[in-house]
Amino acid sequence: MTSVTDGGGGGGERADARRNRAKVLAAAGEAFAEHGIDVPLGEVARRAGVGAGTVYRHFPSKQALLEAVFARQLDELVASGERRMARSAPTEAFFGFLLEVVGTSGRRGPVCEVVAADGSWPHPLLTASVLRFRQVLTALLHAAQRAGGVRADLGPDDVASFAAGCVSMVGARRDRAAGLGLARLALEGLRPSGSVTEHPVFRDGLASGCAECGAALTVRPTGRPVRYCGATCRQRARRRRLAG
């Protein structure tokens, strides 16, 4: 498999050209994450320590650079997922991978948005990287499910959507550490014991206490939601309604 960071140039490309390409990709990733996708290519060249001509030789357009940056980042995640599968227990590998995807989302966000929104230019490089990412995610998920660590009714699309939601959650918090803490808590819902359908207390419109005296209520799994703790409070509330 040809690595994105190698530039796909093979043996005919000089070593210094490959190094320059890698430096441009790294600098572009940092610049896009810090300042958005409107960063001029001249700034990318400055950060990479190369001339503007070097950037344009490798990436003739901003779109081409965006695609290459995102593909490189996906390939880094793929390599990490493969290492986790080889070195860690299935459930640990799965959740560790998802936390890495969510935790590193800050440097990928702007690039992801552009690539997802722009369908007018070809991205075979990106398509291949996305396919590899999906394959690793699916392998991690199925291994964790076989080990009993993840709900059996989830598929790769469900997990990808869940991870995207966690990324949004982290981005919505000014305190990134707090956002990551919430993401960890949310990811616990992927475990078999996290299924809310097993617990009848999750009912819409359920009162948290007696509407009359505020006492704790006994939850009923079926029937109308409980509003009063007993007959005394129910009659008291009825008399108040009639008097009003």
Side-chain angles (χ1 to χ4, degrees), residues 21 24-25 28-29 32 39-41 44 55 58-71 111 121:
R21 188 178 192 278
V24 170
L25 284 173
F32 293 148
V39 173
L41 293 185
V44 172
V55 176
H58 289 289
F59 309 101
S61 67
K62 174 72 73 67
Q63 287 87 350
L65 179 56
L66 285 170
E67 179 189 357
V69 167
F70 190 31
V111 182
W121 44 279

PDB file of all heavy atoms in Angstrom, residues 21 24-25 28-29 32 39-41 44 55 58-71 111 121:
ATOM      1  N   ARG A  21       7.566  17.348   0.706  1.00  0.00           N
ATOM      2  CA  ARG A  21       6.129  17.094   0.626  1.00  0.00           C
ATOM      3  C   ARG A  21       5.560  16.793   2.009  1.00  0.00           C
ATOM      4  O   ARG A  21       4.487  17.281   2.370  1.00  0.00           O
ATOM      5  CB  ARG A  21       5.852  15.930  -0.322  1.00  0.00           C
ATOM      6  CG  ARG A  21       4.360  15.733  -0.620  1.00  0.00           C
ATOM      7  CD  ARG A  21       4.159  14.589  -1.599  1.00  0.00           C
ATOM      8  NE  ARG A  21       2.795  14.565  -2.121  1.00  0.00           N
ATOM      9  CZ  ARG A  21       1.756  14.022  -1.496  1.00  0.00           C
ATOM     10  NH1 ARG A  21       1.942  13.469  -0.303  1.00  0.00           N
ATOM     11  NH2 ARG A  21       0.551  14.050  -2.030  1.00  0.00           N
ATOM     12  N   VAL A  24       5.320  19.977   4.015  1.00  0.00           N
ATOM     13  CA  VAL A  24       4.193  20.803   3.570  1.00  0.00           C
ATOM     14  C   VAL A  24       2.887  20.262   4.139  1.00  0.00           C
ATOM     15  O   VAL A  24       2.040  21.024   4.621  1.00  0.00           O
ATOM     16  CB  VAL A  24       4.144  20.865   2.033  1.00  0.00           C
ATOM     17  CG1 VAL A  24       2.844  21.521   1.573  1.00  0.00           C
ATOM     18  CG2 VAL A  24       5.344  21.641   1.482  1.00  0.00           C
ATOM     19  N   LEU A  25       2.703  18.950   4.095  1.00  0.00           N
ATOM     20  CA  LEU A  25       1.479  18.354   4.620  1.00  0.00           C
ATOM     21  C   LEU A  25       1.341  18.624   6.116  1.00  0.00           C
ATOM     22  O   LEU A  25       0.253  18.966   6.604  1.00  0.00           O
ATOM     23  CB  LEU A  25       1.472  16.851   4.364  1.00  0.00           C
ATOM     24  CG  LEU A  25       1.166  16.407   2.930  1.00  0.00           C
ATOM     25  CD1 LEU A  25       1.373  14.900   2.790  1.00  0.00           C
ATOM     26  CD2 LEU A  25      -0.253  16.783   2.547  1.00  0.00           C
ATOM     27  N   ALA A  28       0.596  22.351   6.641  1.00  0.00           N
ATOM     28  CA  ALA A  28      -0.761  22.673   6.208  1.00  0.00           C
ATOM     29  C   ALA A  28      -1.782  22.198   7.230  1.00  0.00           C
ATOM     30  O   ALA A  28      -2.759  22.903   7.535  1.00  0.00           O
ATOM     31  CB  ALA A  28      -1.045  22.045   4.849  1.00  0.00           C
ATOM     32  N   GLY A  29      -1.588  20.999   7.769  1.00  0.00           N
ATOM     33  CA  GLY A  29      -2.506  20.492   8.779  1.00  0.00           C
ATOM     34  C   GLY A  29      -2.576  21.399   9.989  1.00  0.00           C
ATOM     35  O   GLY A  29      -3.651  21.698  10.515  1.00  0.00           O
ATOM     36  N   PHE A  32      -4.294  24.861   8.924  1.00  0.00           N
ATOM     37  CA  PHE A  32      -5.749  24.747   8.747  1.00  0.00           C
ATOM     38  C   PHE A  32      -6.449  24.591  10.088  1.00  0.00           C
ATOM     39  O   PHE A  32      -7.537  25.122  10.300  1.00  0.00           O
ATOM     40  CB  PHE A  32      -6.084  23.565   7.840  1.00  0.00           C
ATOM     41  CG  PHE A  32      -5.626  23.735   6.421  1.00  0.00           C
ATOM     42  CD1 PHE A  32      -5.245  22.641   5.659  1.00  0.00           C
ATOM     43  CD2 PHE A  32      -5.577  24.991   5.835  1.00  0.00           C
ATOM     44  CE1 PHE A  32      -4.827  22.789   4.347  1.00  0.00           C
ATOM     45  CE2 PHE A  32      -5.162  25.154   4.524  1.00  0.00           C
ATOM     46  CZ  PHE A  32      -4.786  24.061   3.785  1.00  0.00           C
ATOM     47  N   VAL A  39      -6.268  29.936   5.024  1.00  0.00           N
ATOM     48  CA  VAL A  39      -4.836  30.230   5.125  1.00  0.00           C
ATOM     49  C   VAL A  39      -4.225  30.179   3.725  1.00  0.00           C
ATOM     50  O   VAL A  39      -4.399  29.189   3.006  1.00  0.00           O
ATOM     51  CB  VAL A  39      -4.145  29.206   6.039  1.00  0.00           C
ATOM     52  CG1 VAL A  39      -2.632  29.406   6.018  1.00  0.00           C
ATOM     53  CG2 VAL A  39      -4.679  29.315   7.448  1.00  0.00           C
ATOM     54  N   PRO A  40      -3.508  31.215   3.295  1.00  0.00           N
ATOM     55  CA  PRO A  40      -2.903  31.189   1.955  1.00  0.00           C
ATOM     56  C   PRO A  40      -1.781  30.160   1.866  1.00  0.00           C
ATOM     57  O   PRO A  40      -1.130  29.833   2.870  1.00  0.00           O
ATOM     58  CB  PRO A  40      -2.362  32.614   1.791  1.00  0.00           C
ATOM     59  CG  PRO A  40      -2.224  33.147   3.163  1.00  0.00           C
ATOM     60  CD  PRO A  40      -3.281  32.498   3.996  1.00  0.00           C
ATOM     61  N   LEU A  41      -1.562  29.657   0.668  1.00  0.00           N
ATOM     62  CA  LEU A  41      -0.509  28.667   0.492  1.00  0.00           C
ATOM     63  C   LEU A  41       0.868  29.238   0.806  1.00  0.00           C
ATOM     64  O   LEU A  41       1.778  28.495   1.187  1.00  0.00           O
ATOM     65  CB  LEU A  41      -0.544  28.122  -0.939  1.00  0.00           C
ATOM     66  CG  LEU A  41      -1.777  27.284  -1.300  1.00  0.00           C
ATOM     67  CD1 LEU A  41      -1.635  26.711  -2.705  1.00  0.00           C
ATOM     68  CD2 LEU A  41      -1.995  26.173  -0.300  1.00  0.00           C
ATOM     69  N   VAL A  44       1.513  28.500   4.342  1.00  0.00           N
ATOM     70  CA  VAL A  44       1.858  27.088   4.495  1.00  0.00           C
ATOM     71  C   VAL A  44       3.320  26.867   4.131  1.00  0.00           C
ATOM     72  O   VAL A  44       4.054  26.158   4.832  1.00  0.00           O
ATOM     73  CB  VAL A  44       0.946  26.210   3.616  1.00  0.00           C
ATOM     74  CG1 VAL A  44       1.415  24.755   3.623  1.00  0.00           C
ATOM     75  CG2 VAL A  44      -0.504  26.304   4.089  1.00  0.00           C
ATOM     76  N   VAL A  55       5.488  24.167  -2.858  1.00  0.00           N
ATOM     77  CA  VAL A  55       4.115  23.801  -2.501  1.00  0.00           C
ATOM     78  C   VAL A  55       3.301  23.538  -3.763  1.00  0.00           C
ATOM     79  O   VAL A  55       2.602  22.531  -3.874  1.00  0.00           O
ATOM     80  CB  VAL A  55       3.457  24.905  -1.648  1.00  0.00           C
ATOM     81  CG1 VAL A  55       2.000  24.560  -1.366  1.00  0.00           C
ATOM     82  CG2 VAL A  55       4.223  25.103  -0.343  1.00  0.00           C
ATOM     83  N   HIS A  58       3.926  20.222  -5.684  1.00  0.00           N
ATOM     84  CA  HIS A  58       3.308  19.033  -5.105  1.00  0.00           C
ATOM     85  C   HIS A  58       1.786  19.121  -5.092  1.00  0.00           C
ATOM     86  O   HIS A  58       1.094  18.107  -5.257  1.00  0.00           O
ATOM     87  CB  HIS A  58       3.812  18.828  -3.671  1.00  0.00           C
ATOM     88  CG  HIS A  58       5.242  18.391  -3.583  1.00  0.00           C
ATOM     89  ND1 HIS A  58       5.658  17.136  -3.960  1.00  0.00           N
ATOM     90  CD2 HIS A  58       6.350  19.057  -3.171  1.00  0.00           C
ATOM     91  CE1 HIS A  58       6.971  17.033  -3.769  1.00  0.00           C
ATOM     92  NE2 HIS A  58       7.418  18.188  -3.294  1.00  0.00           N
ATOM     93  N   PHE A  59       1.271  20.338  -4.897  1.00  0.00           N
ATOM     94  CA  PHE A  59      -0.177  20.530  -4.767  1.00  0.00           C
ATOM     95  C   PHE A  59      -0.589  21.736  -5.609  1.00  0.00           C
ATOM     96  O   PHE A  59      -0.490  22.881  -5.166  1.00  0.00           O
ATOM     97  CB  PHE A  59      -0.562  20.755  -3.299  1.00  0.00           C
ATOM     98  CG  PHE A  59      -0.008  19.703  -2.381  1.00  0.00           C
ATOM     99  CD1 PHE A  59       1.114  19.962  -1.611  1.00  0.00           C
ATOM    100  CD2 PHE A  59      -0.588  18.447  -2.314  1.00  0.00           C
ATOM    101  CE1 PHE A  59       1.633  18.997  -0.766  1.00  0.00           C
ATOM    102  CE2 PHE A  59      -0.075  17.474  -1.475  1.00  0.00           C
ATOM    103  CZ  PHE A  59       1.041  17.747  -0.699  1.00  0.00           C
ATOM    104  N   PRO A  60      -1.051  21.502  -6.827  1.00  0.00           N
ATOM    105  CA  PRO A  60      -1.347  22.602  -7.743  1.00  0.00           C
ATOM    106  C   PRO A  60      -2.548  23.452  -7.340  1.00  0.00           C
ATOM    107  O   PRO A  60      -2.756  24.510  -7.915  1.00  0.00           O
ATOM    108  CB  PRO A  60      -1.614  21.882  -9.072  1.00  0.00           C
ATOM    109  CG  PRO A  60      -2.007  20.495  -8.693  1.00  0.00           C
ATOM    110  CD  PRO A  60      -1.226  20.190  -7.462  1.00  0.00           C
ATOM    111  N   SER A  61      -3.333  23.012  -6.335  1.00  0.00           N
ATOM    112  CA  SER A  61      -4.496  23.786  -5.904  1.00  0.00           C
ATOM    113  C   SER A  61      -4.710  23.593  -4.414  1.00  0.00           C
ATOM    114  O   SER A  61      -4.198  22.642  -3.815  1.00  0.00           O
ATOM    115  CB  SER A  61      -5.752  23.361  -6.669  1.00  0.00           C
ATOM    116  OG  SER A  61      -6.125  22.034  -6.317  1.00  0.00           O
ATOM    117  N   LYS A  62      -5.484  24.503  -3.824  1.00  0.00           N
ATOM    118  CA  LYS A  62      -5.829  24.383  -2.408  1.00  0.00           C
ATOM    119  C   LYS A  62      -6.622  23.109  -2.159  1.00  0.00           C
ATOM    120  O   LYS A  62      -6.423  22.425  -1.151  1.00  0.00           O
ATOM    121  CB  LYS A  62      -6.625  25.621  -1.976  1.00  0.00           C
ATOM    122  CG  LYS A  62      -7.171  25.560  -0.550  1.00  0.00           C
ATOM    123  CD  LYS A  62      -6.091  25.718   0.487  1.00  0.00           C
ATOM    124  CE  LYS A  62      -5.585  27.138   0.573  1.00  0.00           C
ATOM    125  NZ  LYS A  62      -6.559  28.112   1.070  1.00  0.00           N
ATOM    126  N   GLN A  63      -7.526  22.766  -3.094  1.00  0.00           N
ATOM    127  CA  GLN A  63      -8.324  21.556  -2.919  1.00  0.00           C
ATOM    128  C   GLN A  63      -7.442  20.310  -2.866  1.00  0.00           C
ATOM    129  O   GLN A  63      -7.670  19.394  -2.078  1.00  0.00           O
ATOM    130  CB  GLN A  63      -9.340  21.420  -4.060  1.00  0.00           C
ATOM    131  CG  GLN A  63     -10.489  22.398  -3.970  1.00  0.00           C
ATOM    132  CD  GLN A  63     -10.136  23.729  -4.640  1.00  0.00           C
ATOM    133  OE1 GLN A  63      -8.975  23.967  -5.009  1.00  0.00           O
ATOM    134  NE2 GLN A  63     -11.129  24.584  -4.808  1.00  0.00           N
ATOM    135  N   ALA A  64      -6.436  20.268  -3.733  1.00  0.00           N
ATOM    136  CA  ALA A  64      -5.543  19.112  -3.744  1.00  0.00           C
ATOM    137  C   ALA A  64      -4.791  18.995  -2.424  1.00  0.00           C
ATOM    138  O   ALA A  64      -4.587  17.886  -1.899  1.00  0.00           O
ATOM    139  CB  ALA A  64      -4.559  19.224  -4.908  1.00  0.00           C
ATOM    140  N   LEU A  65      -4.393  20.132  -1.857  1.00  0.00           N
ATOM    141  CA  LEU A  65      -3.688  20.117  -0.580  1.00  0.00           C
ATOM    142  C   LEU A  65      -4.617  19.671   0.546  1.00  0.00           C
ATOM    143  O   LEU A  65      -4.236  18.879   1.420  1.00  0.00           O
ATOM    144  CB  LEU A  65      -3.118  21.502  -0.287  1.00  0.00           C
ATOM    145  CG  LEU A  65      -2.356  21.657   1.036  1.00  0.00           C
ATOM    146  CD1 LEU A  65      -1.212  20.654   1.120  1.00  0.00           C
ATOM    147  CD2 LEU A  65      -1.830  23.083   1.182  1.00  0.00           C
ATOM    148  N   LEU A  66      -5.858  20.173   0.537  1.00  0.00           N
ATOM    149  CA  LEU A  66      -6.830  19.773   1.548  1.00  0.00           C
ATOM    150  C   LEU A  66      -7.063  18.267   1.515  1.00  0.00           C
ATOM    151  O   LEU A  66      -7.085  17.605   2.560  1.00  0.00           O
ATOM    152  CB  LEU A  66      -8.151  20.502   1.323  1.00  0.00           C
ATOM    153  CG  LEU A  66      -8.210  21.979   1.722  1.00  0.00           C
ATOM    154  CD1 LEU A  66      -9.498  22.610   1.212  1.00  0.00           C
ATOM    155  CD2 LEU A  66      -8.113  22.132   3.232  1.00  0.00           C
ATOM    156  N   GLU A  67      -7.242  17.740   0.318  1.00  0.00           N
ATOM    157  CA  GLU A  67      -7.480  16.303   0.197  1.00  0.00           C
ATOM    158  C   GLU A  67      -6.303  15.507   0.743  1.00  0.00           C
ATOM    159  O   GLU A  67      -6.470  14.539   1.489  1.00  0.00           O
ATOM    160  CB  GLU A  67      -7.713  15.932  -1.264  1.00  0.00           C
ATOM    161  CG  GLU A  67      -7.944  14.436  -1.455  1.00  0.00           C
ATOM    162  CD  GLU A  67      -7.950  14.023  -2.912  1.00  0.00           C
ATOM    163  OE1 GLU A  67      -7.839  14.908  -3.786  1.00  0.00           O
ATOM    164  OE2 GLU A  67      -8.072  12.819  -3.172  1.00  0.00           O
ATOM    165  N   ALA A  68      -5.102  15.928   0.398  1.00  0.00           N
ATOM    166  CA  ALA A  68      -3.909  15.205   0.833  1.00  0.00           C
ATOM    167  C   ALA A  68      -3.733  15.279   2.344  1.00  0.00           C
ATOM    168  O   ALA A  68      -3.330  14.299   2.986  1.00  0.00           O
ATOM    169  CB  ALA A  68      -2.676  15.757   0.127  1.00  0.00           C
ATOM    170  N   VAL A  69      -4.038  16.437   2.930  1.00  0.00           N
ATOM    171  CA  VAL A  69      -3.912  16.590   4.386  1.00  0.00           C
ATOM    172  C   VAL A  69      -4.884  15.660   5.093  1.00  0.00           C
ATOM    173  O   VAL A  69      -4.522  14.939   6.033  1.00  0.00           O
ATOM    174  CB  VAL A  69      -4.157  18.060   4.800  1.00  0.00           C
ATOM    175  CG1 VAL A  69      -4.339  18.169   6.307  1.00  0.00           C
ATOM    176  CG2 VAL A  69      -2.993  18.932   4.353  1.00  0.00           C
ATOM    177  N   PHE A  70      -6.138  15.658   4.654  1.00  0.00           N
ATOM    178  CA  PHE A  70      -7.134  14.832   5.303  1.00  0.00           C
ATOM    179  C   PHE A  70      -6.815  13.346   5.122  1.00  0.00           C
ATOM    180  O   PHE A  70      -6.956  12.547   6.049  1.00  0.00           O
ATOM    181  CB  PHE A  70      -8.516  15.157   4.738  1.00  0.00           C
ATOM    182  CG  PHE A  70      -9.648  14.539   5.507  1.00  0.00           C
ATOM    183  CD1 PHE A  70      -9.561  14.318   6.867  1.00  0.00           C
ATOM    184  CD2 PHE A  70     -10.822  14.184   4.856  1.00  0.00           C
ATOM    185  CE1 PHE A  70     -10.603  13.747   7.573  1.00  0.00           C
ATOM    186  CE2 PHE A  70     -11.873  13.607   5.552  1.00  0.00           C
ATOM    187  CZ  PHE A  70     -11.767  13.392   6.917  1.00  0.00           C
ATOM    188  N   ALA A  71      -6.389  12.971   3.929  1.00  0.00           N
ATOM    189  CA  ALA A  71      -6.031  11.574   3.679  1.00  0.00           C
ATOM    190  C   ALA A  71      -4.865  11.150   4.575  1.00  0.00           C
ATOM    191  O   ALA A  71      -4.855  10.026   5.110  1.00  0.00           O
ATOM    192  CB  ALA A  71      -5.667  11.381   2.208  1.00  0.00           C
ATOM    193  N   VAL A 111     -10.810  20.683   7.685  1.00  0.00           N
ATOM    194  CA  VAL A 111     -10.537  19.901   6.494  1.00  0.00           C
ATOM    195  C   VAL A 111     -11.693  18.950   6.210  1.00  0.00           C
ATOM    196  O   VAL A 111     -12.130  18.790   5.065  1.00  0.00           O
ATOM    197  CB  VAL A 111      -9.212  19.131   6.654  1.00  0.00           C
ATOM    198  CG1 VAL A 111      -8.892  18.345   5.405  1.00  0.00           C
ATOM    199  CG2 VAL A 111      -8.081  20.095   6.975  1.00  0.00           C
ATOM    200  N   TRP A 121     -14.635  18.131  -7.263  1.00  0.00           N
ATOM    201  CA  TRP A 121     -13.289  17.765  -7.668  1.00  0.00           C
ATOM    202  C   TRP A 121     -13.032  16.311  -7.263  1.00  0.00           C
ATOM    203  O   TRP A 121     -13.561  15.830  -6.266  1.00  0.00           O
ATOM    204  CB  TRP A 121     -12.251  18.694  -7.067  1.00  0.00           C
ATOM    205  CG  TRP A 121     -12.461  19.014  -5.620  1.00  0.00           C
ATOM    206  CD1 TRP A 121     -13.318  19.928  -5.104  1.00  0.00           C
ATOM    207  CD2 TRP A 121     -11.783  18.437  -4.503  1.00  0.00           C
ATOM    208  NE1 TRP A 121     -13.235  19.949  -3.749  1.00  0.00           N
ATOM    209  CE2 TRP A 121     -12.295  19.051  -3.349  1.00  0.00           C
ATOM    210  CE3 TRP A 121     -10.797  17.471  -4.362  1.00  0.00           C
ATOM    211  CZ2 TRP A 121     -11.858  18.728  -2.060  1.00  0.00           C
ATOM    212  CZ3 TRP A 121     -10.360  17.143  -3.084  1.00  0.00           C
ATOM    213  CH2 TRP A 121     -10.888  17.777  -1.959  1.00  0.00           C
TER     214      TRP A 121
END
